[in-house]
């Protein structure tokens, strides 16, 4: 391990980590929003949308991210739409992530016992209030572990976006290896960078899960 | 707090495990010649998407200038041109494939550079090359100065990538893994021009109307040579003898006429190493 070399390329990896984070934040936040929307459409059986949403979920979960990216980056210019690599990356991440998020939210929403809604009705809450004060907080708690897993999954998937020339961690690692052949050093930095990004999130998700469980069962 | 410590401990354990895996992975196996003879097959890394040097034809067979040289080497070492296991490589992973022992020999249009000489051993060269720039005919790049603050497309880990990164930081590089991706990006207008080996560019521009190699001699003249794992003396010596033989007996020119002549015409003096 050549430490001088590692110090020398740390700035490059720092910029790449910021790029990975920025892809992750866009991808995760938009996936959560779109995913919740889809889950609501499916759960509350909004006319016409349910089939569409289910079709989308199947399409998104059964095609690889790399293919989705290539389609956006190399396919769309053939019909006159040219998006840059970052935009393609975010769109593809959301396309992939939203279906996973939707499934998590749906599972949470469907797990709420009917009695809870009946009780809310008995208290005189209207539909909107039932959802905001009774259904969603409980659904969120149930969905949280799988949403946490989805978030970690999406962040790791950003490595695929290097294929369309976005200078994130995987891209810079391969670039550095191709340029200087310091493979061990580059892979070490790659590993450390992902660990630094993912470990706190992983721990935070676990903390939230514990807190939710305590709130629910009082342990 | 116990939980936190446990998680960190698990993560660190994983880290250590992966690192030890890395170091095992990169131990070079010296003297592969014996292994090649024992297994009766030589594993050679070639390009799959760089015609006319190394490409896969419609029947799925490896073809091209580098592939023909590979067959000559296999014929001399093992008595048959078919005793090769071709491994397709990308520019950026050629060195890694050698170092990790995935291939015995690299014959993928590999330009000899000082950085590469530190990590692999080059045999005698068989080809000459310089960098070139291809651009659309209606917006030709005829001088490197025109590229300032513009986007230039390159292939990750190629001599073009290294040359422009080191010498022209004011040119924005957009880098891809595969040749096909880089050339697609040029067609989609993601950059004003593309830099690569001149020979490859001549071949590509001939196939793709509307593009022109207006610059074909950037930087110093380089040599293209086969490469083996660092310290693999026996195989290196065998390949050297073979390259010398191909040059002396004129076989190299015969291979040129078979694979490169249709594309480059009579440029053998410019392209073949002597």
């Amino acid at each position: 391990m050549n430490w001088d070399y590692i110090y020398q390329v740390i700035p490059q990896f720092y910029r790449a980590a910021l790029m990975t984070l920025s892809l992750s934040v866009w991808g995760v936040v938009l996936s959560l929003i779109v995913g919740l929307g889809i889950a609501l459409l499916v759960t509350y059986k909004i006319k016409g949308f349910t089939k569409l949403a289910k079709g989308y979920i199947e399409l998104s979960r059964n095609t690889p991210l790399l293919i989705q990216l290539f389609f956006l980056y190399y396919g769309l210019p053939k019909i006159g739409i040219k998006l840059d690599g970052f935009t393609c990356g975010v769109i593809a991440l959301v396309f992939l992530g939203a279906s996973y998020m939707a499934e998590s939210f749906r599972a949470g929403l469907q797990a709420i016992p009917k009695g809870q809604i009946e009780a809310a009705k008995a208290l005189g809450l209207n539909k909107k209030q039932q959802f905001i004060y009774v259904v969603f907080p409980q659904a969120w708690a149930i969905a949280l572990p799988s949403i946490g897993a989805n978030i970690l999954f999406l962040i790791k998937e950003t490595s695929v976006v290097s294929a369309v020339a976005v200078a994130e961690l995987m891209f810079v690692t391969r670039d550095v290896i191709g340029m200087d052949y310091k493979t061990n050093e580059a892979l070490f930095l790659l590993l450390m960078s992902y660990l630094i990004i993912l470990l706190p999130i992983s721990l935070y998700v676990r903390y939230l899960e514990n807190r939710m469980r305590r709130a629910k069962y009082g342990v | 707090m116990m939980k936190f410590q446990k998680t960190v401990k698990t993560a660190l354990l994983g880290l250590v495990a992966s690192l030890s895996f890395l170091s095992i992975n990169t131990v070079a196996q010296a003297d592969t010649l014996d292994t090649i003879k024992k297994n009766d097959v030589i594993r050679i890394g070639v390009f799959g998407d760089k015609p006319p040097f190394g490409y896969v034809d419609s029947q799925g067979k490896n073809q091209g200038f580098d592939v023909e040289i590979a067959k000559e080497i296999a014929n001399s070492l093992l008595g048959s041109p078919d005793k090769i296991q071709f491994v397709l490589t990308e520019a950026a992973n050629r060195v890694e494939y050698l170092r990790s022992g995935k291939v015995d020999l690299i014959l993928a249009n590999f330009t000899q550079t000082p950085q590469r000489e530190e990590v692999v051993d080059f045999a005698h060269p068989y080809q000459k090359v310089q960098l070139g720039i291809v651009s659309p005919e209606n917006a030709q790049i005829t001088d490197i100065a025109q590229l300032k603050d513009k986007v230039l497309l390159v292939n990750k880990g190629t001599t073009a990538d290294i040359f422009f990164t080191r010498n022209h930081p004011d040119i924005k590089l957009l880098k891809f893994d595969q040749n096909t991706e880089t050339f697609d990006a040029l067609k989609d207008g993601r950059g004003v021009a593309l830099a690569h080996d001149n020979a490859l560019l001549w071949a590509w521009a001939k196939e793709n109307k509307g593009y022109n190699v207006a610059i074909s001699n950037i930087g110093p003249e380089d040599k293209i040579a086969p490469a083996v794992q660092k310290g693999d003396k026996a195989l290196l010596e065998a390949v050297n003898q073979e390259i010398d033989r191909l040059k002396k007996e004129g076989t190299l020119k015969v291979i040129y006429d078979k694979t490169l002549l249709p594309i480059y015409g009579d440029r053998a003096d410019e392209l073949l190493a002597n």
Side-chain angles (χ1 to χ4, degrees), chain A residues 37-84:
Chain A
I38 292 168
L40 291 173
L41 292 179
V42 174
T43 316
Y44 293 105
K45 303 207 166 57
I46 313 287
K47 256 208 183 115
F49 283 107
T50 315
K51 270 215 175 99
L52 205 68
K54 280 187 174 160
Y56 154 72
I57 289 175
E58 290 310 318
L59 181 67
S60 139
R61 285 165 62 112
N62 292 304
T63 48
L65 182 61
L66 187 63
I67 307 299
Q68 296 169 2
L69 270 175
F70 277 179
F71 176 79
L72 289 168
Y73 195 77
Y74 296 107
L76 289 185
K78 306 285 179 281
I79 55 165
I81 305 168
K82 196 169 84 187
L83 302 171
D84 63 54

Side-chain angles (χ1 to χ4, degrees), chain A residues 70 73-74 77-78 82-83 163 165 171 174-175 178-181 183-184 187-188 191-192 199 203 206, chain B residues 4 7 15 19 22 90 95-96 99 116 156-157 161-162 165-166 174-177 181 188-190:
Chain A
F70 277 179
Y73 195 77
Y74 296 107
K78 306 285 179 281
K82 196 169 84 187
L83 302 171
F171 180 96
R174 293 185 53 113
D175 200 21
M179 194 82 74
D180 299 313
Y181 309 111
T183 313
N184 284 359
L187 289 180
F188 173 74
L191 210 63
M192 290 309 286
L199 201 57
L203 289 171
R206 193 160 307 168
Chain B
F4 175 80
T7 317
L15 186 66
L19 284 180
L22 286 182
E90 292 161 11
V95 166
E96 228 25 68
R99 285 213 290 201
R116 289 171 182 168
K156 229 181 266 178
D161 183 4
I162 295 166
T165 305
R166 300 256 149 88
L174 193 60
K175 306 177 182 186
F176 297 87
D177 289 325
E181 293 167 6
D188 294 342
R190 293 190 187 277

Side-chain angles (χ1 to χ4, degrees), chain B residues 3 8 15 17 24-25 40 44 47 73 75 80 94-95 101 123 125 143 166 168 179 192 198 226 228 231 240 242 273:
Chain B
K3 278 244 171 68
V8 171
L15 186 66
I24 292 167
N25 201 19
D40 207 24
I44 302 183
F47 276 132
I73 292 173
N75 196 22
S80 160
R94 286 175 295 196
V95 166
D143 187 352
R166 300 256 149 88
H168 296 277
N179 285 329
V192 294
N198 56 7
V228 300
N240 276 341
E242 188 57 18

Side-chain angles (χ1 to χ4, degrees), chain A residues 24 28 31-32 61 93 96-105 140-158 198 201-209:
Chain A
S24 303
V28 166
S31 301
L32 280 169
R61 285 165 62 112
L93 282 171
L96 179 79
S99 65
Y100 282 85
M101 296 300 184
E103 290 290 88
S104 301
F105 278 121
W140 171 248
I142 294 167
L144 193 70
S146 83
I147 285 174
N150 290 348
I151 291 173
L152 294 172
F153 158 74
L154 268 185
I155 296 174
K156 284 185 273 190
E157 284 295 294
T158 58
L198 290 167
I201 299 172
S202 175
L203 289 171
Y204 185 65
V205 168
R206 193 160 307 168
Y207 161 77
L208 275 184
E209 276 173 35

Side-chain angles (χ1 to χ4, degrees), chain A residues 155-166:
Chain A
I155 296 174
K156 284 185 273 190
E157 284 295 294
T158 58
S159 58
V160 178
V161 180
S162 65
V164 292
V166 176

Side-chain angles (χ1 to χ4, degrees), chain B residues 139-156:
Chain B
Q140 267 188 55
I141 301 293
T142 50
D143 187 352
I144 296 181
Q146 285 170 261
L147 291 169
K148 194 166 184 292
D149 297 321
K150 302 258 174 59
V151 175
L152 176 68
L153 305 162
V154 294
N155 234 30
K156 229 181 266 178

